[in-house]
Amino acid sequence: DVEQYLLGTTYSLFSATTKAGAEVGVYTYEPTEYVTVFSMTGAKLESFDGTGLEKASTITVKEAGISSITIPTENVRELILDDNAFTEFSPAKYPNLVLLSMNHNSLSKIDLSQNKNLHVASLGYNQLSEINLDNPNLWALYMSNNLFETINLNGAKELQQLDLGHNLLRTIDVSQLDKLLALAINQNYFTFSTLPYPKSTYAVYHYQDQAKLDVAEIDGKIDLSSEAVVSDNNTEFTWFYGVPEMNDYGEWEGEILLIDTEYTLENGVTT
């Protein structure tokens, strides 16, 4: 069966009922007529053969469950493959990519260094622990909810927006990112001394909810001297009896121990 969809010069959205095991094709009336923007969401597929999309500049295949894709490589500028099952992907095949979105896949590493025209990469909710960057035009990089323990950003010095929330980072060097306006590194493993110091140019800086800091009592002392002074700011230490709770205003509540009566504090060392 062939169903007709009338296309115009503006973006049109069509719904269709999918059937298991069916082979689906998309055709134009004439060989000289080309699809320049193709988008499909929510249809589960075994495979996707888009070799006929040779003039398409934007291709979207979301929520399909695919782990590979066949499409022309030269003209595509925006490639959106969110919510699929990719475990590996080679962006180098697509030299003219401006935008790549592969959120919610299963990638463990990716090499963007050959995509010199890339402006935006969105790779959240994968299993990434490695990335190779050499992208002089990249201004937005979104990689929250991954497995990065370290990351080298020297190849992306034009970044304006960077999201690395929900990773395993303990340190990060953003000092070379002079154009950075928005930074998210919340829910990692930073401490006061390892958090990047905010620049006056930052419009957004999310650093909340870092992992709890493991401390140990050795010879009756708890040594947090590394956190005592950060960027010429003295850290204020407060000790509680038992486990404090946070109230609705984001304030800790509990029985506060009295300094110089129940403990002493000197240069970040508590006795």
Side-chain angles (χ1 to χ4, degrees):
D1 294 337
V2 177
E3 186 167 346
Q4 184 183 48
Y5 297 96
L6 297 178
L7 300 178
T9 57
T10 59
Y11 185 83
S12 301
L13 182 65
F14 303 100
S15 60
T17 301
T18 59
K19 297 181 180 179
E23 184 174 335
V24 179
V26 178
Y27 303 91
T28 58
Y29 280 109
E30 301 293 339
T32 55
E33 295 177 344
Y34 297 99
V35 175
T36 57
V37 176
F38 180 88
S39 177
M40 182 171 63
T41 300
K44 299 302 180 184
L45 303 172
E46 283 189 10
S47 61
F48 183 91
D49 183 355
T51 51
L53 296 171
E54 57 191 50
K55 298 295 184 181
S57 61
T58 299
I59 297 176
T60 300
V61 183
K62 295 172 59 176
E63 300 174 22
I66 56 175
S67 58
S68 63
I69 190 169
T70 302
I71 55 175
T73 60
E74 288 299 318
N75 291 321
V76 62
R77 290 170 54 83
E78 298 184 4
L79 183 57
I80 302 167
L81 300 172
D82 297 336
D83 298 282
N84 281 296
F86 287 87
T87 58
E88 58 183 11
F89 186 75
S90 178
K93 295 179 181 179
Y94 311 94
N96 295 311
L97 271 185
V98 173
L99 180 149
L100 175 65
S101 185
M102 295 189 70
N103 301 299
H104 294 276
N105 278 277
S106 298
L107 301 170
S108 60
K109 59 182 178 180
I110 195 164
D111 185 353
L112 300 179
S113 62
Q114 302 304 307
N115 300 96
K116 305 303 183 184
N117 297 314
L118 192 64
H119 288 189
V120 178
S122 189
L123 303 165
Y125 294 88
N126 278 277
Q127 300 171 23
L128 289 169
S129 60
E130 297 179 35
I131 188 170
N132 191 11
L133 299 169
D134 187 8
N135 307 91
N137 294 298
L138 187 66
W139 64 266
L141 181 59
Y142 308 115
M143 298 195 299
S144 68
N145 293 273
N146 277 290
L147 301 175
F148 285 104
E149 295 184 14
T150 61
I151 187 167
N152 186 339
L153 299 168
N154 289 333
K157 294 184 178 180
E158 297 298 308
L159 278 175
Q160 299 178 33
Q161 300 179 19
L162 175 62
D163 185 355
L164 284 165
H166 297 261
N167 275 279
L168 305 174
L169 295 166
R170 296 179 183 274
T171 61
I172 190 171
D173 183 6
V174 294
S175 60
Q176 75 279 18
L177 304 182
D178 295 332
K179 297 183 180 180
L180 194 62
L181 301 175
L183 174 62
I185 51 173
N186 50 296
Q187 296 194 287
N188 278 279
Y189 287 80
F190 294 99
T191 67
F192 287 149
S193 61
T194 60
L195 277 170
Y197 193 74
K199 297 180 181 180
S200 60
T201 53
Y202 287 179
V204 176
Y205 185 17
H206 294 305
Y207 58 88
Q208 71 276 11
D209 297 330
Q210 300 298 323
K212 292 181 179 179
L213 180 64
D214 289 329
V215 297
E217 179 185 343
I218 301 175
D219 296 330
K221 297 181 179 181
I222 298 176
D223 188 349
L224 294 174
S225 55
S226 63
E227 311 298 319
V229 180
V230 179
S231 298
D232 297 325
N233 295 307
N234 293 320
T235 301
E236 181 179 329
F237 293 90
T238 302
W239 291 99
F240 292 85
Y241 178 79
V243 180
E245 295 183 355
M246 185 172 288
N247 62 25
D248 293 338
Y249 302 99
E251 301 167 336
W252 289 108
E253 290 184 340
E255 182 179 341
I256 299 177
L257 299 180
L258 301 176
I259 191 169
D260 295 330
T261 299
E262 296 174 289
Y263 70 95
T264 61
L265 180 65
E266 183 176 359
N267 296 326
V269 179
T270 298
T271 304

